[in-house]
């Protein structure tokens, strides 16, 4: 049995010792010595929405609007090589590991211009860090690929054959958004994979497609296999309409991914100072029983000039923007639904030199230690090392 001594936890006050055995958390007990906690111990971070193939790629220009960013990204896709993409994706994945992220879902462009180059580059990057980071690849029909077209359906099938585990698209950018959403749902059903759709990334309530997504999910029996990313339009609907819709989303087990930085940055952009926040209502969604997650979305690309793949930073921005106060709810948003460390959990854990979650969010300190299945992961993404003697962690003979 190995013991991590004197840690603070998210869900209770005091100092505790965590006992690990094999790849699991075996016991949580009051600290054997009376010293204040040296670390905050929490579940490892999970980024449920990234675009690793574009990360760090953009010049210092600022997008004039979401549409302007889409046009810039499209121009660049023509020239990006597999090596370019692998290099960007590897950088984002290694930075994620250094921040304490154990899992990333990345939307990876497929279209007639990109073909399978982005899928190839991202899968190659994922294999470089496979011992430290779980990577879920979404075959993402970009603005240049309408799911209604047979060519896009063939690209979905090819990407899934190569290792993508979900499919996605942006129906709003297609000629007939409602038809594109139906085609995406049909493709997910036919291929037997879950879908994660960029939907309603705007504030124009009459154009909302999210009701159609809920109907289409239930009609096809896809409950539990659908994620909606963005859904900013929920912030522009009446509270009663939102409540009814959130109840239906919870019933259909549709996951809602909110992207605090990008929604703040791009919504209502280009028309003077913003008057709205542009985030789907996180607190109401949690109350309705919807599974809500945060993601970084774009990092240093045409859509967003900042970020570094740090989900703690995303949690900090999201806590402010969405008024999420409860530490266990914040943990759930940035740790893949895990609200606390529990006995019996797989020991995918993060140690932060901080005294509480608020302290960690306030300072976002370096020097974090990521554990995967009970082993310390090197900050550079190397194979897990034995926990003994690492980073002040203490081994105890049993
Ligand atoms: Zn996105």
């Amino acid at each position: 049995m190995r013991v991590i001594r004197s840690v603070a936890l998210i869900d209770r006050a005091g100092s505790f010792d965590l006992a690990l055995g094999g790849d699991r958390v075996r016991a949580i007990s009051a600290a054997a010595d009376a010293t204040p906690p040296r670390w905050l111990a929490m579940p490892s971070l999970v980024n449920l929405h990234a675009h690793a193939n574009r990360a760090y790629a953009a010049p210092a220009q600022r997008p004039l609007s979401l549409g302007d960013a889409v046009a810039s990204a499209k121009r660049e896709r023509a020239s990006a090589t597999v090596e370019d993409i692998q290099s960007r994706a590897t950088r984002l994945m290694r930075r994620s590991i250094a921040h304490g992220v154990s899992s990333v879902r990345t939307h990876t462009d497929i279209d007639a211009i990109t073909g399978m180059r982005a899928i190839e580059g991202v899968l190659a990057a994922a294999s470089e860090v496979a011992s430290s980071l779980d990577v879920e690849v979404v075959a993402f029909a970009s603005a240049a690929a309408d799911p209604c077209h047979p060519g896009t359906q063939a690209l979905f099938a090819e990407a899934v054959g190569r290792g993508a585990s979900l499919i996605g698209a942006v129906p709003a950018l297609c000629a007939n958004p409602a038809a594109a959403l139906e085609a995406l749902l049909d493709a997910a059903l036919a291929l037997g994979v879950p879908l994660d759709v960029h939907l309603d990334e705007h504030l124009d309530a009459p154009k909302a497609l999210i009701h159609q997504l809920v109907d289409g999910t239930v009609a096809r029996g896809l409950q539990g296999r659908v994620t909606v990313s963005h859904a900013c339009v929920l912030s522009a609907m009446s509270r009663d309409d939102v409540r009814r819709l959130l109840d239906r989303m919870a019933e259909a087990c549709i996951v809602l991914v909110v992207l605090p930085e990008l929604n703040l940055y791009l919504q209502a952009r280009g028309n003077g100072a913003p008057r709205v926040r542009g985030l789907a209502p996180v607190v109401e969604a949690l109350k309705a029983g919807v599974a809500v997650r945060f993601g970084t979305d774009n990092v240093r690309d045409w859509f967003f000039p900042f970020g570094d793949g740090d989900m703690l930073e995303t949690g900090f921005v999201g806590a402010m923007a969405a008024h999420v106060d409860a530490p266990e709810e914040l943990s759930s948003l940035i740790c893949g639904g895990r609200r606390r460390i529990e006995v019996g959990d797989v020991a995918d854990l993060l140690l932060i030199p901080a005294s509480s979650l608020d302290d960690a969010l306030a300072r976002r300190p370096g020097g974090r230690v990521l554990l995967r299945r009970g082993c310390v992961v090197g900050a550079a993404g190397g194979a897990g090392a034995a926990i003994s003697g690492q980073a002040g962690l203490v081994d105890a003979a049993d």
Side-chain angles (χ1 to χ4, degrees), residues 155-358:
L155 289 170
F156 280 143
E158 186 176 354
V160 168
R162 287 178 183 234
S165 50
L166 302 98
I167 62 170
V170 199
L173 299 177
C174 300
N176 182 337
L181 179 56
E182 294 298 316
L184 181 67
L185 285 157
D186 284 341
L189 190 63
L191 292 168
V193 293
L195 70 89
D196 186 337
V197 58
H198 284 60
L199 199 70
D200 290 341
E201 190 179 356
H202 59 77
L203 303 171
D204 190 357
K207 286 190 180 164
L209 290 175
I210 191 151
H211 301 89
Q212 184 189 332
L213 177 72
V214 179
D215 292 342
T217 298
V218 173
R220 291 169 179 81
L222 288 172
Q223 292 94 330
R225 297 175 68 76
V226 172
T227 298
V228 57
S229 288
H230 294 291
C232 306
V233 78
L234 293 179
S235 67
M237 294 178 179
S238 77
R239 287 185 188 271
D240 283 348
D241 285 351
V242 168
R243 198 175 304 121
R244 280 192 289 274
L245 181 60
L246 290 172
D247 286 344
R248 296 193 64 220
M249 287 172 65
E251 269 175 36
C253 300
I254 292 175
V255 176
L256 170 64
V257 176
V258 173
L259 298 312
E261 289 105 328
L262 266 289
N263 296 155
L264 285 173
Y265 189 75
L266 287 178
Q267 293 307 298
R269 189 174 181 82
N271 191 22
R275 304 284 179 95
V276 295
R277 298 183 191 214
L279 274 72
V282 174
V283 172
E284 285 85 344
L286 290 169
K287 199 171 168 192
V290 175
V292 187
R293 308 283 183 262
F294 281 171
T296 59
D297 210 349
N298 306 73
V299 169
R300 313 278 326 260
D301 67 8
W302 304 272
F303 293 79
F304 189 63
F306 310 124
D308 190 40
D310 183 1
M311 282 300 297
L312 206 55
E313 186 169 270
T314 299
F316 170 60
V317 175
M320 286 189 297
H323 290 189
V324 182
D325 293 323
E328 289 180 67
E329 285 188 342
L330 272 170
S331 170
S332 149
L333 292 165
I334 60 177
C335 301
R338 294 173 67 193
R339 299 170 65 86
R340 64 185 78 83
I341 298 172
E342 300 198 60
V343 173
D345 279 355
V346 171
D348 287 347
L349 306 175
L350 175 58
L351 305 178
I352 303 176
S355 59
S356 66
L357 184 58
D358 279 358

